[in-house]
Amino acid sequence: MSIYKKCPELRSDRYLLRLTRTEDLEGLLSVYSDRNALPFFNSDNCNGDNFYYATRERMKEAMDFWEYSYKNGWFARMTIIEADSNRVIGTVELCYRASEDAFNGMCILRVDVGSEYETEAVLTEVFGLIIPYTDELLGTHGIVTKGPIYAVERIKALKNNGFTQSGHYLVGGHDGYLYNGYWTVGGC
């Protein structure tokens, strides 16, 4: 099944992941205007966008671009919702990587959460929800995600889900810039 034909809803007892919707704007604004969360957002190879959206207008522009990208098969952005409170706590982005580097054919996984959710427990569960489905949904062979050295809780969560640190750089598609700090599961 292709994620672009039908984006699934993935659930655990504590979280729901589903395609981002217009009604998520206020919740996402609180995540993407959180300056303490900003260093954990992976904006590598994103044309200078750092994912800091401090106004409703800027957040809406980003969400419109996410919807456009989904409709064109570039990437899927899913909202993470805390089940008990129905609170939006972040997003997951899934993208097929076509490149000439070691990560060709893998899923790029971006997980952005508000700073209070940047914990081993939350991230372990969120990664665990999405990992089993990426290859089937995107036609990939493994996952690559960013885990910078200062992201201590995130790295614990990655290890909990079987990721290992990659010795390879992700090569920027626009300018050939070499990005480091990547972790993989099921791939190189």
Side-chain angles (χ1 to χ4, degrees), residues 54-165:
T55 66
R56 293 182 93 254
E57 293 75 23
R58 185 63 189 105
M59 187 73 246
K60 174 132 180 24
E61 286 174 11
M63 292 174 70
D64 289 345
F65 178 68
W66 297 346
E67 182 180 6
Y68 178 82
S69 298
Y70 179 75
K71 287 179 178 176
N72 285 281
W74 299 342
F75 62 81
R77 182 75 67 150
M78 301 170 77
T79 299
I80 308 167
I81 300 165
E82 190 174 50
D84 289 345
S85 66
N86 206 33
R87 181 178 178 195
V88 170
I89 67 162
T91 66
V92 167
E93 180 185 298
L94 301 169
C95 174
Y96 180 92
R97 177 142 174 96
S99 65
E100 294 185 20
D101 62 17
F103 306 122
N104 182 48
M106 295 180 75
C107 167
I108 292 187
L109 171 63
R110 289 186 167 95
V111 176
D112 302 337
V113 294
S115 58
E116 69 185 278
Y117 295 96
E118 183 71 27
T119 68
E120 177 183 1
V122 171
L123 293 170
T124 295
E125 191 163 342
V126 170
F127 286 132
L129 264 173
I130 196 70
I131 288 170
Y133 303 101
T134 57
D135 288 353
E136 177 186 351
L137 291 172
L138 291 168
T140 55
H141 65 86
I143 304 167
V144 58
T145 194
K146 182 94 172 194
I149 60 171
Y150 56 82
V152 177
E153 295 292 305
R154 184 171 291 251
I155 289 170
K156 289 178 193 173
L158 291 171
K159 289 178 180 178
N160 292 344
N161 279 285
F163 281 83
T164 57
Q165 191 169 17

